Amino acid sequence: MGKLKMGIKSLFRTGFFDIFGATIINSIVSFVYGIFIIRVLTKSDYGTFSYVQNILNFGFMFCSLGGNVGVLQFCSEATASIPKRYSYSRFAYHLGTIGSIIVFIIMMLYTRIDSSGIDNLTFYVAEFALLPFLYFIKEWITANLRWQLKNREYAIVLNVHSVLNAVLAVLGAYFWGIQGVILGIYGSYVGACFVGGIFLRNGGYSGIKKAEQLDSIQKRRFLQYSITMC
């Protein structure tokens, strides 16, 4: 019994239950969001929105070029010093920024060649073109919170994003249709990035900003792993 109590206390200290709880909350909120959004939007608008979301999901896959996964891997290695972890994080930030710019350009080019015939599709894709960058920033922030073992803060950022996304997107859909959904989704990412930025500022942001550059061998290792994972 004593070992069990110690094990449970250890899980509390490491933030296991924070992450577990955040996962449950996210699942519930996403389920409720799906129920409401499909009832608020018209069938035509929901079909168009789903099509745009599929395009956007491809952008999410490649916007960081795998850098956020690389941060979690390389910064969690026991052999990496704190300054080196900051260097990896800084490199991933630059890598993700480049990836997000590439995704933005591709999405804008897509609006020129789309032949689906769906009304206003290219307009909505263009409006969503900046979202992959916010997605990358949120994932970059949460990856840094994870390797710093700030699991409670990580869970809070996830919950802020999921709750804001559900509330703002549904309200936006009710008042302004797809346009409102887009505004609501942007608002949820801005809110999550703002809260995560506060946590990260108190957990090494200055160290990341001042970190030294990686050498060519380290960059190559990081790129090989990250792009492969991407």
Side-chain angles (χ1 to χ4, degrees), residues 7-44:
I8 293 174
K9 287 181 180 180
S10 176
L11 291 175
F12 268 110
R13 283 198 306 271
T14 57
F16 170 81
F17 289 108
D18 293 311
I19 296 175
F20 183 71
T23 302
I24 293 176
I25 291 172
N26 272 266
S27 298
I28 295 172
V29 171
S30 296
F31 178 73
V32 174
Y33 162 75
I35 292 175
F36 277 96
I37 199 74
I38 198 171
R39 284 165 171 74
V40 175
L41 291 175
T42 64
K43 290 182 179 179
S44 176

Side-chain angles (χ1 to χ4, degrees), residues 105-137:
I105 293 172
I106 292 174
M107 289 181 69
M108 294 305 293
L109 288 174
Y110 175 81
T111 64
R112 300 291 183 182
I113 63 174
D114 172 69
S115 58
S116 65
I118 299 176
D119 292 340
N120 296 321
L121 176 67
T122 56
F123 175 73
Y124 296 134
V125 171
E127 286 196 329
F128 262 136
L130 287 174
L131 194 62
F133 177 70
L134 287 177
Y135 175 87
F136 150 66
I137 292 296

Side-chain angles (χ1 to χ4, degrees), residues 8 10-28 72 76 141-160 162:
I8 293 174
S10 176
L11 291 175
F12 268 110
R13 283 198 306 271
T14 57
F16 170 81
F17 289 108
D18 293 311
I19 296 175
F20 183 71
T23 302
I24 293 176
I25 291 172
N26 272 266
S27 298
I28 295 172
L72 200 55
S76 298
I141 288 172
T142 53
N144 278 282
L145 292 174
R146 286 295 303 277
W147 76 255
Q148 294 176 26
L149 299 181
K150 294 182 177 293
N151 292 324
R152 178 164 297 176
E153 290 83 351
Y154 166 79
I156 290 173
V157 173
L158 291 188
N159 289 335
V160 167
S162 62

